[in-house]
Amino acid sequence: MDIQPPAGMRPRRALVLAGGVALGAFEAGAYAALEEAGAPQLDILVGVSAGAVNAAIIAGNPPGARAAALRRFWNRAGTDPTPATTFLLGPPPPAGAWRAAYNEASALQTLLLGNPLMFRPRLAPGPRIGQAPGLFDLEPLLAQLPEFVDFERLNNGACRIVMTAIDVETGERVVFDTSAGTRIGPRHVVASCALLPVFAPVELDGRLLGDGGLASNVPLDLALEAPADQAPGAPRNAALDCIFIELFAPAGSRPRTLGASMARAADLGFGNQTQRLLEGQARERRLRALMRCLAARLPDDARSAPEIAAALAEARHDPPLTLVRIGYRAGRDEAGPGKLFDFSTTTLTDRWEAGAEAMRQALQRLQAPASAIPLAEDMLLHEVEARTMP
């Protein structure tokens, strides 16, 4: 079990990792910078889809060895769509027509052949007996995860691990939470990654599950809310520093091509989910502050009335919350809507390095509260944006 200082001696720290297939290399680089900085161990780690894979690798390895495990995983995931050209001329430049064509070729190769570490094409993507349809299945990832993740360590560590999926039939978000007694295994991680219709959904405990990002690609609320099994009256006043990574930028430029429009639609569809969650959390805090203000003006007999006392019990003082949003914005030479499937070693390396630099900036922002945007009482937000290419 990982040994950490008592949470009361420091702000709790949470990290929320989003889904984004090959964009997950950005998150891996960000965690590597967190480890490099010697930051306190995490108390809460939330992941969905590619973020669930990264979270499993982080939690399933000992402190100090986690970045190396992430590096091994993403190095093995890397491919080269033009090996002959790379052999003769070296890797492509950081930007320009050659790089754009290279990125497009990498995405196309993945969509035709899959990725040896993660997913393979189904020869017949239509319905099968007892199986749901999909263009690819995630059996390679399911088979190879135990090489990178010690699931006993993941489930028995001091850090609370949370992953999500979605019930394909009911639309319900399904939460796997070690603090609630869930024993997370490889199949839980893979279920969180099953983005329909690209990847076939996964049967688990009698439910057909798909990618948790379809419910919320950055499940920030799970990091901010108390675990479902927290005992009534348990302390809730410890400050929280929460870094979350947004792989789909809600703000962007005007699209000029059909491919850019498709990529922009994905960014808007996934990226705006997080903004709504932030607004909801801030609104709840403001409402509780207003209720406390009103309660102070009520006479004692009114405050003791059962229905009013029950309402006022919810108007607790929220602990200080500092959020840092690390936003990834794709460069103009990325593969448009295919950027999620660009597993080229060059691009994965660029994403890793961009994520590491973004995390270094995020850690600096945490030390500068005056630069934050106040969203509500004791709720601050820092914004860090990074991109891999010009």
Side-chain angles (χ1 to χ4, degrees), residues 277-328:
L277 280 173
L278 278 174
E279 291 170 357
Q281 291 288 332
R283 191 162 49 245
E284 287 183 18
R285 282 183 168 241
R286 290 194 295 267
L287 179 59
R288 284 193 285 270
L290 178 59
M291 291 175 66
R292 292 194 298 272
C293 181
L294 292 174
R297 297 171 180 241
L298 290 175
D300 291 343
D301 59 339
R303 285 202 300 269
S304 61
E307 64 276 11
I308 295 178
L312 294 181
E314 295 299 317
R316 63 184 183 274
H317 282 271
D318 292 293
L321 171 62
T322 302
L323 298 158
V324 184
R325 171 163 49 192
I326 297 178
Y328 174 88

Side-chain angles (χ1 to χ4, degrees), residues 19 47-60 73 118 138 141-146 148-151 154-155 161-166 174-176 178 182-195 199-204 209-213:
V48 60
S49 195
V53 175
N54 285 328
I57 295 171
I58 293 166
F73 180 88
M118 295 191 182
L138 291 158
L141 179 61
L142 182 65
Q144 296 190 62
L145 266 176
F148 297 94
V149 180
D150 178 347
F151 283 93
L154 181 153
N155 286 293
I161 310 300
V162 187
M163 300 176 186
T164 68
I166 192 168
V174 181
V175 178
F176 311 127
T178 57
T182 304
R183 298 288 298 179
I184 292 174
R187 204 162 185 84
H188 295 85
V189 180
V190 171
S192 184
C193 299
L195 179 63
F199 306 122
V202 175
E203 190 89 26
L204 181 63
L209 302 180
D211 193 306

Side-chain angles (χ1 to χ4, degrees), residues 305-369:
E307 64 276 11
I308 295 178
L312 294 181
E314 295 299 317
R316 63 184 183 274
H317 282 271
D318 292 293
L321 171 62
T322 302
L323 298 158
V324 184
R325 171 163 49 192
I326 297 178
Y328 174 88
R329 182 179 290 191
R332 66 174 180 268
D333 294 326
E334 291 216 43
K339 65 187 177 186
L340 279 70
F341 301 97
D342 180 0
F343 279 92
S344 66
T345 299
T346 301
T347 298
L348 294 184
T349 299
D350 288 346
R351 288 172 178 163
W352 178 290
E353 292 174 355
E357 177 56 32
M359 180 58 77
R360 295 183 191 107
Q361 293 181 39
L363 294 175
Q364 292 174 0
R365 299 287 180 87
L366 280 173
Q367 305 304 316

Side-chain angles (χ1 to χ4, degrees), residues 40-120:
Q41 294 297 320
L42 298 169
D43 300 288
I44 306 166
L45 179 57
V46 181
V48 60
S49 195
V53 175
N54 285 328
I57 295 171
I58 293 166
N61 283 276
R66 293 165 174 169
L70 288 167
R71 177 75 76 177
R72 286 198 314 274
F73 180 88
W74 287 100
N75 281 350
R76 193 180 298 182
T79 60
D80 188 346
T82 58
T85 303
T86 302
F87 176 76
L88 293 173
L89 302 176
W98 178 4
R99 182 57 184 272
Y102 177 88
N103 293 339
E104 293 282 358
S106 175
L108 180 60
Q109 180 188 67
T110 302
L111 288 169
L112 290 174
L113 304 176
N115 182 279
L117 178 64
M118 295 191 182
F119 50 89
R120 65 188 178 199

Side-chain angles (χ1 to χ4, degrees), residues 365 367-373 380 382:
R365 299 287 180 87
Q367 305 304 316
S371 66
I373 304 166
L380 302 176
H382 297 275

